[in-house]
């Protein structure tokens, strides 16, 4: 399916070359010794397309600046003032108490490896001449950021067509890395794909950041994810015993779990009466439909269950989970912040989304960070007892997060009179309000400079606002709220509580938080908690809501938009028959596949979103495939990567599965006869 380097010595050589560029050797005379001591960061961010690469660049910039503040004792006042107007930087500086030079330094952020990729030959120029590239030594100093220059395969983007982005990614990932003119690519490929999960590559979490509405990001991201999963799953079936020599001793393919997640930016559905580009909705719908079909095959499709390698390898999905973040976050944040949305420019709105995503990545990274990710003196200087933390490792996330995921987030400052030893005095934390703000519509917290709220609305905004108002009015009674499919059909939640190092969360507050989670998510099979101490100067709550977000209004709207435009037969493309039929397919006891067959063509038609001749474009790209990949047996036609009617059926089956999710409460089973009065009391 994809090119994978099998020679372990070549992989190790490529990894060493990447490691040397990521961790430049200060003392060349002691290079071998230095190389042995350096581990790759436990986390890697892969930003794809313009949107994804910008966000990954933002995150890298934030952690780079936080590191500088920490290491330089926050004395660079000029740099602080120059970056004061940048919203995400303001949030992180206030969150980390960086503005007060006398404050005890509460945190040293981990630094992820960052890979930026775009089907645009000018990606390096765009980054180098951006504000971040010109205003500081960031690009030169942040050696953990690498640009994937793929312009020799294609230099002009994907033209807002995900199928072209996917096809170009398939060319890139099928071509022998030794045949690339860009020598850095084979090193990056060995890190991202060939070596994932082995001892020589210590990275265990990979986050793919991309926009679902574009062509490059949404097309490339899932293909890169599938190539990584293919290489990783191949290792589990590879039972060869590799002969170890001095070069590879101890670095053989030792199986280690990895966790991969897509961070998917969904387009606005509606925006103050302005009709959004239909192509954005169709592109996003294609990505969601493709992902649900792959997730169905991987997680639920065991009708003809086989455990053979070929069966499993053809049922892989690109990521363990896909986190969904709506572009509407900026709009809601502006609406609730004294209005005035007409006065905010596009770049400012994009920064809101980037900030929200940066916050979530930051919290997930700190929840699983291992001590080797931090500065060796950090814990000693910060006075943190690492034994008090409850962290999530890659395997925890692997087991807890699968399928579509939404995020709920809020944070609060430390209660003014609370202290580490005696919390009975002063103002206590309002855990009810913190939890409510995390599930509220996205809004801007002026005190903490954070964007809070839920990343994807369960239902239409005005109805959700009204339901939330009733929730508060009824004393946080979740009876009405937990009847929404978004909460009722949620299979698992992961909650990450981040505390300043001198603040102790009370037993009552923790119980109150668990009570809120239990009442809002009545049918969760699994609830996981992480407690992070010392990673922030504020108290924050992140809740990851698993699988049920695919039943939200926005998610269904985007999928149906794609199916109607690219699959539906003529008489179903423009009326509401297919809309209603889709709801019936999900709700009804039996899935009427024959009815779906009458409404849809067998394959998607990419020409429906392109204002040009698709049949003239197709041979141009296929010729490129033949020219770049000389093995005729590996040729793939664009027709072969079209989504099929079966893909739509699998996506619907996944939606049906989540729609019917429920649990039975545990009951006490006893061989001892009990008096009826005791039984009644127990009830």
């Amino acid at each position: 399916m994809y090119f994978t380097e099998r020679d372990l010595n070549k992989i190790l050589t490529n990894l060493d070359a990447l490691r040397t560029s990521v961790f430049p050797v200060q003392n060349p005379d002691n290079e071998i010794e230095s190389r042995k001591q350096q581990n790759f960061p436990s986390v890697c961010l892969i930003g794809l397309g313009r949107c994804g690469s910008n966000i990954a660049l933002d995150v890298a910039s934030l952690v780079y600046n936080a590191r500088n503040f920490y290491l330089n004792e926050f004395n660079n006042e000029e740099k602080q003032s120059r970056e004061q107007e940048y919203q995400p930087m303001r949030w992180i500086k206030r969150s980390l108490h960086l503005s007060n030079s006398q404050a005890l330094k509460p945190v040293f952020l981990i630094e992820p490896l960052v890979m930026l990729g775009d089907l645009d030959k000018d990606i390096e120029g765009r980054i180098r001449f951006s504000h971040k590239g010109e205003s500081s030594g960031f690009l030169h100093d942040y050696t953990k950021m690498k640009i994937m220059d793929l312009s020799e395969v294609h230099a002009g983007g994907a033209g807002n067509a995900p199928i072209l982005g996917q096809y170009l990614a398939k060319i890139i990932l099928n071509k022998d890395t030794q045949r690339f003119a860009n020598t850095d690519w084979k090193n990056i490929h060995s890190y991202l794909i060939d070596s994932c999960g082995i001892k020589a590559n210590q990275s265990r979490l990979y986050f793919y950041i991309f926009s679902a509405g574009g062509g490059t990001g949404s097309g490339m991201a899932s293909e890169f994810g599938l190539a990584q999963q293919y290489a990783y799953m191949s290792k589990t079936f590879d039972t060869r015993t590799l002969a170890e020599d001095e070069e590879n001793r101890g670095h053989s393919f030792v199986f280690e779990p990895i966790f991969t997640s897509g961070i998917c930016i969904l387009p606005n559905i509606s925006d103050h009466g302005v009709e959004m580009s239909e192509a954005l909705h169709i592109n996003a719908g294609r990505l969601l439909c493709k992902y649900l079909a792959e997730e169905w095959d991987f997680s639920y499709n065991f009708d003809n269950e086989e455990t053979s390698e070929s069966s499993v390898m053809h049922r892989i999905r690109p990521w363990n989970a896909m986190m969904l973040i709506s572009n509407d976050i900026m709009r809601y944040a502006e609406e609730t912040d004294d209005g005035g949305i007409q006065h905010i420019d596009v770049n400012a709105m994009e920064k809101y989304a980037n900030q929200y995503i940066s916050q979530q990545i930051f919290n997930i990274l700190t929840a699983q960070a291992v001590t080797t990710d931090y500065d060796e003196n950090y814990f000693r200087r910060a006075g943190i007892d690492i034994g008090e933390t409850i962290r999530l490792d890659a395997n925890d996330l692997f087991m807890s997060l699968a399928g579509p995921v939404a995020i709920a987030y809020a944070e609060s400052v430390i209660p003014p009179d609370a202290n580490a030893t005696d919390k009975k005095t002063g103002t206590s934390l309002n855990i009810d309000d913190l939890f409510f703000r995390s599930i509220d519509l996205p809004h801007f917290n002026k005190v903490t400079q954070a964007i809070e709220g839920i990343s994807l609305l369960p239902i239409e905004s005005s109805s959700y606002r009204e339901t939330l108002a009733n929730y508060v009015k009824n004393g946080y009674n979740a009876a009405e709220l937990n009847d929404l499919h978004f909460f009722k059909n949620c299979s698992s939640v992961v909650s990450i509580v981040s505390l300043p190092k001198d603040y102790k969360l009370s037993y009552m507050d923790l119980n109150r938080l668990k009570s809120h989670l239990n009442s809002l998510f009545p049918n969760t099979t699994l609830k996981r908690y992480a407690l992070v101490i010392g990673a922030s100067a504020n108290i924050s709550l992140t809740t990851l809501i698993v699988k049920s977000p695919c039943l939200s209004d926005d998610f269904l709207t985007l999928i149906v938009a794609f199916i109607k435009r690219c699959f539906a037969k003529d008489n179903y493309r423009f009326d509401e028959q297919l809309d209603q039929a889709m709801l019936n397919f999900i709700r009804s006891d039996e899935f009427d596949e024959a009815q779906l067959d009458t409404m849809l063509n067998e394959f998607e038609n990419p020409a429906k979103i392109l204002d040009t001749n698709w049949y003239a474009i197709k041979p141009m790209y296929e010729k490129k495939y033949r020219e770049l990949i000389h093995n005729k047996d590996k040729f793939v036609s664009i027709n072969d990567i079209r989504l099929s009617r079966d893909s739509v059926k699998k996506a619907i089956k996944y939606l049906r599965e989540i729609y019917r999710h429920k649990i039975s409460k545990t009951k006490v089973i006893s061989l001892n006869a009990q008096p009826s009065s005791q039984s009644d009391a127990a009830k």
Side-chain angles (χ1 to χ4, degrees), residues 33 56 67 73 79 90 106 114 118 131 144 201 224 265 298 348 358 384 453 458 472 493 564 613 623 643 650 664 669:
E33 191 71 23
R67 176 185 175 86
E73 303 296 324
K79 186 177 232 181
R90 267 214 310 275
V114 178
D118 196 1
H131 169 72
K144 293 184 179 71
N201 179 356
F224 269 68
I265 320 300
F298 184 88
S358 301
I384 294 170
V472 176
V493 293
K564 281 181 72 170
N613 186 341
K623 179 174 174 57
L643 297 191
K650 289 173 182 176
S664 57
I669 307 296

mmCIF file of all heavy atoms in Angstrom, residues 33 56 67 73 79 90 106 114 118 131 144 201 224 265 298 348 358 384 453 458 472 493 564 613 623 643 650 664 669:
data_model
loop_
_atom_site.group_PDB
_atom_site.id
_atom_site.type_symbol
_atom_site.label_atom_id
_atom_site.label_comp_id
_atom_site.label_asym_id
_atom_site.label_seq_id
_atom_site.Cartn_x
_atom_site.Cartn_y
_atom_site.Cartn_z
ATOM 1 N N GLU A 33 28.821 10.421 22.365
ATOM 2 C CA GLU A 33 28.282 10.466 23.721
ATOM 3 C C GLU A 33 27.017 11.310 23.783
ATOM 4 O O GLU A 33 26.021 10.938 24.401
ATOM 5 C CB GLU A 33 29.345 11.042 24.675
ATOM 6 C CG GLU A 33 29.006 10.905 26.141
ATOM 7 C CD GLU A 33 29.106 9.471 26.621
ATOM 8 O OE1 GLU A 33 29.828 8.691 25.992
ATOM 9 O OE2 GLU A 33 28.423 9.146 27.601
ATOM 10 N N ALA A 56 0.395 24.643 13.672
ATOM 11 C CA ALA A 56 1.558 23.948 14.237
ATOM 12 C C ALA A 56 2.702 24.929 14.463
ATOM 13 O O ALA A 56 3.430 24.841 15.464
ATOM 14 C CB ALA A 56 1.994 22.818 13.308
ATOM 15 N N ARG A 67 9.937 28.668 26.650
ATOM 16 C CA ARG A 67 11.255 28.142 27.040
ATOM 17 C C ARG A 67 12.255 29.284 27.220
ATOM 18 O O ARG A 67 13.040 29.311 28.177
ATOM 19 C CB ARG A 67 11.759 27.166 25.975
ATOM 20 C CG ARG A 67 13.164 26.637 26.251
ATOM 21 C CD ARG A 67 13.653 25.775 25.096
ATOM 22 N NE ARG A 67 15.035 25.378 25.305
ATOM 23 C CZ ARG A 67 15.418 24.328 26.006
ATOM 24 N NH1 ARG A 67 14.512 23.567 26.585
ATOM 25 N NH2 ARG A 67 16.693 24.031 26.148
ATOM 26 N N GLU A 73 15.267 33.703 32.595
ATOM 27 C CA GLU A 73 14.756 34.314 33.821
ATOM 28 C C GLU A 73 13.822 35.494 33.532
ATOM 29 O O GLU A 73 13.728 36.428 34.303
ATOM 30 C CB GLU A 73 15.920 34.783 34.704
ATOM 31 C CG GLU A 73 16.900 33.700 35.067
ATOM 32 C CD GLU A 73 16.280 32.607 35.908
ATOM 33 O OE1 GLU A 73 15.419 32.926 36.748
ATOM 34 O OE2 GLU A 73 16.623 31.436 35.706
ATOM 35 N N LYS A 79 11.227 41.938 24.177
ATOM 36 C CA LYS A 79 10.516 40.896 23.442
ATOM 37 C C LYS A 79 9.100 40.740 23.976
ATOM 38 O O LYS A 79 8.151 40.547 23.223
ATOM 39 C CB LYS A 79 11.271 39.576 23.554
ATOM 40 C CG LYS A 79 10.698 38.465 22.700
ATOM 41 C CD LYS A 79 11.561 37.228 22.839
ATOM 42 C CE LYS A 79 11.935 36.748 21.469
ATOM 43 N NZ LYS A 79 12.757 35.538 21.507
ATOM 44 N N ARG A 90 -0.486 36.226 24.721
ATOM 45 C CA ARG A 90 -0.984 36.852 25.945
ATOM 46 C C ARG A 90 -1.566 35.811 26.872
ATOM 47 O O ARG A 90 -1.354 35.825 28.079
ATOM 48 C CB ARG A 90 -2.073 37.890 25.616
ATOM 49 C CG ARG A 90 -1.536 39.289 25.458
ATOM 50 C CD ARG A 90 -2.501 40.346 25.934
ATOM 51 N NE ARG A 90 -3.848 40.261 25.449
ATOM 52 C CZ ARG A 90 -4.261 40.754 24.299
ATOM 53 N NH1 ARG A 90 -3.398 41.324 23.476
ATOM 54 N NH2 ARG A 90 -5.523 40.676 23.947
ATOM 55 N N PRO A 106 6.338 28.874 37.243
ATOM 56 C CA PRO A 106 5.527 27.706 37.526
ATOM 57 C C PRO A 106 5.690 26.561 36.539
ATOM 58 O O PRO A 106 5.214 25.478 36.778
ATOM 59 C CB PRO A 106 4.102 28.257 37.454
ATOM 60 C CG PRO A 106 4.201 29.367 36.461
ATOM 61 C CD PRO A 106 5.579 29.940 36.578
ATOM 62 N N VAL A 114 8.013 19.303 15.493
ATOM 63 C CA VAL A 114 6.975 19.897 14.641
ATOM 64 C C VAL A 114 7.361 19.700 13.183
ATOM 65 O O VAL A 114 8.448 20.098 12.754
ATOM 66 C CB VAL A 114 6.800 21.403 14.943
ATOM 67 C CG1 VAL A 114 5.757 22.022 14.022
ATOM 68 C CG2 VAL A 114 6.399 21.606 16.400
ATOM 69 N N ASP A 118 3.125 21.102 3.022
ATOM 70 C CA ASP A 118 2.100 21.706 2.166
ATOM 71 C C ASP A 118 2.460 21.389 0.720
ATOM 72 O O ASP A 118 3.639 21.255 0.374
ATOM 73 C CB ASP A 118 2.065 23.223 2.391
ATOM 74 C CG ASP A 118 0.788 23.864 1.831
ATOM 75 O OD1 ASP A 118 -0.060 23.117 1.286
ATOM 76 O OD2 ASP A 118 0.651 25.084 1.946
ATOM 77 N N HIS A 131 5.669 36.917 10.268
ATOM 78 C CA HIS A 131 6.019 37.709 11.452
ATOM 79 C C HIS A 131 6.958 36.920 12.364
ATOM 80 O O HIS A 131 7.923 37.453 12.901
ATOM 81 C CB HIS A 131 4.742 38.097 12.205
ATOM 82 C CG HIS A 131 4.996 38.676 13.566
ATOM 83 N ND1 HIS A 131 5.525 39.942 13.744
ATOM 84 C CD2 HIS A 131 4.824 38.160 14.810
ATOM 85 C CE1 HIS A 131 5.650 40.179 15.044
ATOM 86 N NE2 HIS A 131 5.235 39.119 15.704
ATOM 87 N N LYS A 144 13.692 21.866 16.546
ATOM 88 C CA LYS A 144 12.748 20.743 16.544
ATOM 89 C C LYS A 144 11.665 20.915 15.481
ATOM 90 O O LYS A 144 10.779 20.079 15.358
ATOM 91 C CB LYS A 144 12.102 20.591 17.932
ATOM 92 C CG LYS A 144 13.085 20.166 19.024
ATOM 93 C CD LYS A 144 12.370 19.946 20.347
ATOM 94 C CE LYS A 144 13.336 19.488 21.429
ATOM 95 N NZ LYS A 144 14.245 20.558 21.848
ATOM 96 N N ASN A 201 13.053 5.286 18.218
ATOM 97 C CA ASN A 201 12.217 6.476 18.062
ATOM 98 C C ASN A 201 11.326 6.577 19.291
ATOM 99 O O ASN A 201 10.370 5.817 19.437
ATOM 100 C CB ASN A 201 11.390 6.362 16.778
ATOM 101 C CG ASN A 201 10.481 7.550 16.566
ATOM 102 O OD1 ASN A 201 10.399 8.447 17.400
ATOM 103 N ND2 ASN A 201 9.785 7.567 15.444
ATOM 104 N N PHE A 224 -1.397 10.416 4.955
ATOM 105 C CA PHE A 224 -0.201 10.322 5.801
ATOM 106 C C PHE A 224 -0.489 9.466 7.032
ATOM 107 O O PHE A 224 0.339 8.652 7.453
ATOM 108 C CB PHE A 224 0.261 11.723 6.221
ATOM 109 C CG PHE A 224 1.262 12.343 5.282
ATOM 110 C CD1 PHE A 224 0.901 12.729 4.000
ATOM 111 C CD2 PHE A 224 2.569 12.542 5.681
ATOM 112 C CE1 PHE A 224 1.812 13.299 3.130
ATOM 113 C CE2 PHE A 224 3.504 13.106 4.815
ATOM 114 C CZ PHE A 224 3.131 13.486 3.532
ATOM 115 N N ILE A 265 -10.110 20.921 11.681
ATOM 116 C CA ILE A 265 -10.809 22.202 11.764
ATOM 117 C C ILE A 265 -11.972 22.166 10.771
ATOM 118 O O ILE A 265 -11.770 22.106 9.558
ATOM 119 C CB ILE A 265 -9.887 23.392 11.424
ATOM 120 C CG1 ILE A 265 -8.499 23.199 12.033
ATOM 121 C CG2 ILE A 265 -10.532 24.707 11.850
ATOM 122 C CD1 ILE A 265 -8.468 23.079 13.521
ATOM 123 N N PHE A 298 -12.538 -0.795 10.992
ATOM 124 C CA PHE A 298 -11.531 -1.136 11.996
ATOM 125 C C PHE A 298 -12.166 -1.598 13.311
ATOM 126 O O PHE A 298 -11.734 -2.590 13.899
ATOM 127 C CB PHE A 298 -10.634 0.071 12.261
ATOM 128 C CG PHE A 298 -9.506 -0.217 13.214
ATOM 129 C CD1 PHE A 298 -8.299 -0.697 12.746
ATOM 130 C CD2 PHE A 298 -9.655 -0.020 14.580
ATOM 131 C CE1 PHE A 298 -7.257 -0.980 13.618
ATOM 132 C CE2 PHE A 298 -8.621 -0.296 15.462
ATOM 133 C CZ PHE A 298 -7.420 -0.780 14.972
ATOM 134 N N ALA A 348 -7.447 38.015 12.693
ATOM 135 C CA ALA A 348 -7.729 37.984 14.132
ATOM 136 C C ALA A 348 -8.627 36.804 14.465
ATOM 137 O O ALA A 348 -8.442 36.133 15.487
ATOM 138 C CB ALA A 348 -8.384 39.288 14.565
ATOM 139 N N SER A 358 -4.243 25.491 20.256
ATOM 140 C CA SER A 358 -2.987 25.467 21.003
ATOM 141 C C SER A 358 -3.235 25.097 22.458
ATOM 142 O O SER A 358 -2.481 24.316 23.056
ATOM 143 C CB SER A 358 -2.293 26.830 20.925
ATOM 144 O OG SER A 358 -2.030 27.183 19.589
ATOM 145 N N ILE A 384 8.084 20.748 42.529
ATOM 146 C CA ILE A 384 6.927 19.889 42.252
ATOM 147 C C ILE A 384 7.231 18.451 42.657
ATOM 148 O O ILE A 384 8.296 17.918 42.342
ATOM 149 C CB ILE A 384 6.570 19.943 40.751
ATOM 150 C CG1 ILE A 384 6.084 21.344 40.381
ATOM 151 C CG2 ILE A 384 5.523 18.903 40.393
ATOM 152 C CD1 ILE A 384 5.939 21.553 38.894
ATOM 153 N N GLY A 453 -15.123 26.793 26.366
ATOM 154 C CA GLY A 453 -16.335 26.278 25.751
ATOM 155 C C GLY A 453 -16.102 24.985 25.018
ATOM 156 O O GLY A 453 -15.027 24.388 25.075
ATOM 157 N N PRO A 458 -23.445 20.604 20.188
ATOM 158 C CA PRO A 458 -24.283 19.406 20.036
ATOM 159 C C PRO A 458 -25.476 19.641 19.112
ATOM 160 O O PRO A 458 -25.856 18.765 18.336
ATOM 161 C CB PRO A 458 -24.753 19.117 21.467
ATOM 162 C CG PRO A 458 -23.772 19.822 22.352
ATOM 163 C CD PRO A 458 -23.333 21.030 21.593
ATOM 164 N N VAL A 472 -28.552 25.644 34.191
ATOM 165 C CA VAL A 472 -28.103 26.465 35.320
ATOM 166 C C VAL A 472 -29.273 26.813 36.225
ATOM 167 O O VAL A 472 -29.180 26.736 37.462
ATOM 168 C CB VAL A 472 -27.413 27.751 34.808
ATOM 169 C CG1 VAL A 472 -27.039 28.660 35.972
ATOM 170 C CG2 VAL A 472 -26.185 27.403 33.986
ATOM 171 N N VAL A 493 -15.238 9.241 28.272
ATOM 172 C CA VAL A 493 -14.719 10.597 28.439
ATOM 173 C C VAL A 493 -13.355 10.524 29.111
ATOM 174 O O VAL A 493 -13.089 9.628 29.914
ATOM 175 C CB VAL A 493 -15.654 11.510 29.274
ATOM 176 C CG1 VAL A 493 -16.951 11.781 28.546
ATOM 177 C CG2 VAL A 493 -15.912 10.925 30.649
ATOM 178 N N LYS A 564 -25.089 14.376 -0.929
ATOM 179 C CA LYS A 564 -26.055 14.926 -1.889
ATOM 180 C C LYS A 564 -25.363 15.452 -3.136
ATOM 181 O O LYS A 564 -25.831 15.246 -4.259
ATOM 182 C CB LYS A 564 -26.862 16.063 -1.242
ATOM 183 C CG LYS A 564 -27.985 15.590 -0.329
ATOM 184 C CD LYS A 564 -28.765 16.742 0.259
ATOM 185 C CE LYS A 564 -29.644 17.428 -0.758
ATOM 186 N NZ LYS A 564 -30.565 18.397 -0.125
ATOM 187 N N ASN A 613 -13.111 20.653 -16.350
ATOM 188 C CA ASN A 613 -13.311 19.320 -16.915
ATOM 189 C C ASN A 613 -12.495 18.295 -16.127
ATOM 190 O O ASN A 613 -11.277 18.196 -16.272
ATOM 191 C CB ASN A 613 -12.896 19.318 -18.393
ATOM 192 C CG ASN A 613 -13.218 17.997 -19.076
ATOM 193 O OD1 ASN A 613 -13.413 16.968 -18.413
ATOM 194 N ND2 ASN A 613 -13.285 18.013 -20.395
ATOM 195 N N LYS A 623 -0.444 10.570 -15.091
ATOM 196 C CA LYS A 623 0.841 10.564 -15.805
ATOM 197 C C LYS A 623 1.975 10.884 -14.826
ATOM 198 O O LYS A 623 3.045 10.284 -14.867
ATOM 199 C CB LYS A 623 0.811 11.582 -16.944
ATOM 200 C CG LYS A 623 2.126 11.655 -17.736
ATOM 201 C CD LYS A 623 1.991 12.564 -18.945
ATOM 202 C CE LYS A 623 3.317 12.753 -19.660
ATOM 203 N NZ LYS A 623 3.934 11.490 -20.110
ATOM 204 N N LEU A 643 -14.353 7.572 -3.226
ATOM 205 C CA LEU A 643 -15.208 6.924 -2.237
ATOM 206 C C LEU A 643 -16.351 6.233 -2.966
ATOM 207 O O LEU A 643 -16.830 6.719 -3.997
ATOM 208 C CB LEU A 643 -15.764 7.944 -1.240
ATOM 209 C CG LEU A 643 -14.743 8.689 -0.371
ATOM 210 C CD1 LEU A 643 -15.455 9.459 0.732
ATOM 211 C CD2 LEU A 643 -13.723 7.746 0.236
ATOM 212 N N LYS A 650 -21.026 2.215 5.122
ATOM 213 C CA LYS A 650 -20.238 1.975 6.337
ATOM 214 C C LYS A 650 -20.322 3.161 7.286
ATOM 215 O O LYS A 650 -20.398 2.987 8.514
ATOM 216 C CB LYS A 650 -18.779 1.686 5.963
ATOM 217 C CG LYS A 650 -18.578 0.333 5.290
ATOM 218 C CD LYS A 650 -17.151 0.179 4.786
ATOM 219 C CE LYS A 650 -16.963 -1.155 4.068
ATOM 220 N NZ LYS A 650 -15.606 -1.294 3.487
ATOM 221 N N SER A 664 -25.812 -0.999 30.584
ATOM 222 C CA SER A 664 -26.677 -1.467 31.674
ATOM 223 C C SER A 664 -25.932 -1.245 32.975
ATOM 224 O O SER A 664 -24.751 -1.567 33.090
ATOM 225 C CB SER A 664 -27.009 -2.950 31.492
ATOM 226 O OG SER A 664 -25.826 -3.708 31.420
ATOM 227 N N ILE A 669 -25.155 -8.867 42.632
ATOM 228 C CA ILE A 669 -25.603 -10.248 42.495
ATOM 229 C C ILE A 669 -25.196 -10.994 43.771
ATOM 230 O O ILE A 669 -24.024 -10.982 44.149
ATOM 231 C CB ILE A 669 -24.955 -10.931 41.273
ATOM 232 C CG1 ILE A 669 -25.184 -10.095 40.009
ATOM 233 C CG2 ILE A 669 -25.476 -12.348 41.106
ATOM 234 C CD1 ILE A 669 -26.625 -9.960 39.619
#
